[in-house]
Amino acid sequence: MDNRPIGVFDSGLGGLTVLEKIYKYAPFENYIFLADQKNCPYGTKEESTVRNIVIENCQYLEKIGCKEIIIACNTASLFIEDAKKTCKIPVISVIEPTATNACSSSKNGNIGVIATDLTIKKGRYQKIIEGQNKSVFSVPCSEFVDYIENDITNIERGRTLVKEKLTYLKEQNVDTLVYGCTHFSLMEALYKELFGNINYIDCGDSIKEIAFEKIERTTNKEYGKIDIITSSNAKEFSDKMGWFKININSIKEKK
């Protein structure tokens, strides 16, 4: 058995939505969450920049003793093959399981994907979904990341953003909406106001079982610890994560 922690990283708050689902699924494991606030957002950066960030973060998590790395960010997951080449431990992407989950959930074959500009541009979701004979309608929504990180208590602004960006998807009669950015789960109540009773697919639910297929499980008999490391300001990150109700062992800044 392997009692080393599982490493999870994202540019900020979004990856916590994945960590929350994974922890509830496997609560005896220990976790290290790397919140790369310094480089947030990823989705509007150049591909080469994001690739280097992903490699650096994966190498860091391996160096501090993680037994696996979950890339809890769709934009970063685009560069999983680069990460795998530099790491000796398993590295998991959120994209493929989430796209597959969406295809299995859709009844009418019309699937909407919302993601950052770079994720939409690269077309990975579109390719997987179309490959399963479904129709995909994609909308770049990098603006949502800024809203979630900096202004999420402004509900009216959020409601306006959702209406402006996603009315197109409602007009396409989508019965399934994919959160192609892990931040986007935090706006689910606003999507439901617009779309009503459709399928909402987030990365955490899609990946929680797959994340444990390639590793040995812990022998811990007590609830595991979650330690957070941020590449920026620890207090600032702590102040933003009030919605995260699982106990945190520590929050510290990356050295």
Side-chain angles (χ1 to χ4, degrees):
M1 296 298 176
D2 192 339
N3 293 329
R4 291 179 296 166
I6 294 169
V8 183
F9 83 87
D10 181 35
S11 63
L13 292 170
L16 290 174
T17 66
V18 175
L19 178 60
E20 180 181 39
K21 298 293 178 63
I22 292 172
Y23 184 86
K24 288 179 179 178
Y25 179 79
F28 298 126
E29 297 284 350
N30 293 313
Y31 299 87
I32 294 177
F33 181 78
L34 174 60
D36 191 15
Q37 290 174 284
K38 180 182 71 174
N39 293 307
C40 185
Y42 292 165
T44 55
K45 289 181 167 58
E46 295 293 327
E47 290 183 32
S48 59
T49 300
V50 179
R51 180 182 292 106
N52 290 337
I53 289 170
V54 171
I55 292 171
E56 179 183 339
N57 287 343
C58 287
Q59 289 177 335
Y60 173 76
L61 289 170
E62 182 175 32
K63 182 179 179 180
I64 63 175
C66 293
K67 64 181 176 182
E68 177 181 66
I69 297 167
I70 298 170
I71 304 179
C73 169
N74 288 268
T75 302
S77 288
L78 294 169
F79 304 98
I80 185 170
E81 295 305 321
D82 299 281
K84 285 181 175 179
K85 291 176 183 177
T86 65
C87 293
K88 296 179 180 178
I89 59 176
V91 184
I92 308 297
S93 160
V94 292
I95 294 178
E96 291 76 15
T98 305
T100 300
N101 187 11
C103 291
S104 299
S105 300
S106 179
K107 301 302 182 185
N108 71 3
N110 294 336
I111 298 174
V113 176
I114 55 176
T116 65
D117 295 7
L118 183 54
T119 301
I120 296 298
K121 176 184 175 183
K122 292 290 287 182
R124 182 62 180 152
Y125 269 105
Q126 296 94 310
K127 183 177 181 180
I128 296 172
I129 293 170
E130 289 172 348
Q132 297 193 33
N133 299 314
K134 309 292 183 182
S135 297
V136 59
F137 305 92
S138 56
V139 179
C141 299
S142 286
E143 303 95 320
F144 288 7
V145 177
D146 176 70
Y147 167 73
I148 291 165
E149 289 282 341
N150 301 303
D151 200 24
I152 197 168
T153 58
N154 186 345
I155 301 301
E156 284 306 312
R157 182 191 170 205
R159 187 172 285 123
T160 298
L161 279 171
V162 167
K163 185 175 181 180
E164 288 177 351
K165 297 292 291 188
L166 304 188
T167 296
Y168 161 74
L169 294 181
K170 185 174 178 63
E171 293 170 347
Q172 307 311 310
N173 192 32
V174 301
D175 76 342
T176 301
L177 182 66
V178 177
Y179 306 154
C181 172
T182 57
H183 280 74
F184 292 177
S185 297
L186 296 173
M187 295 174 66
E188 185 168 82
L190 299 177
Y191 311 143
K192 288 183 175 179
E193 288 182 9
L194 179 63
F195 293 99
N197 187 27
I198 66 170
N199 302 307
Y200 298 93
I201 308 297
D202 74 43
C203 297
D205 278 328
S206 302
I207 199 176
K208 62 186 180 184
E209 296 182 21
I210 294 170
F212 296 94
E213 291 179 349
K214 296 181 179 180
I215 58 172
E216 291 187 16
R217 301 293 292 272
T218 183
T219 56
N220 289 343
K221 301 301 182 183
E222 299 180 350
Y223 287 111
K225 296 178 180 179
I226 296 176
D227 292 293
I228 294 178
I229 301 172
T230 172
S231 61
S232 185
N233 185 279
K235 183 180 185 305
E236 178 183 308
F237 191 75
S238 178
D239 289 344
K240 289 181 177 181
M241 55 178 292
W243 57 272
F244 190 80
K245 302 305 181 184
I246 301 172
N247 185 53
I248 300 300
N249 182 56
S250 68
I251 302 179
K252 59 185 180 181
E253 295 172 10
K254 181 182 177 182
K255 295 180 179 179

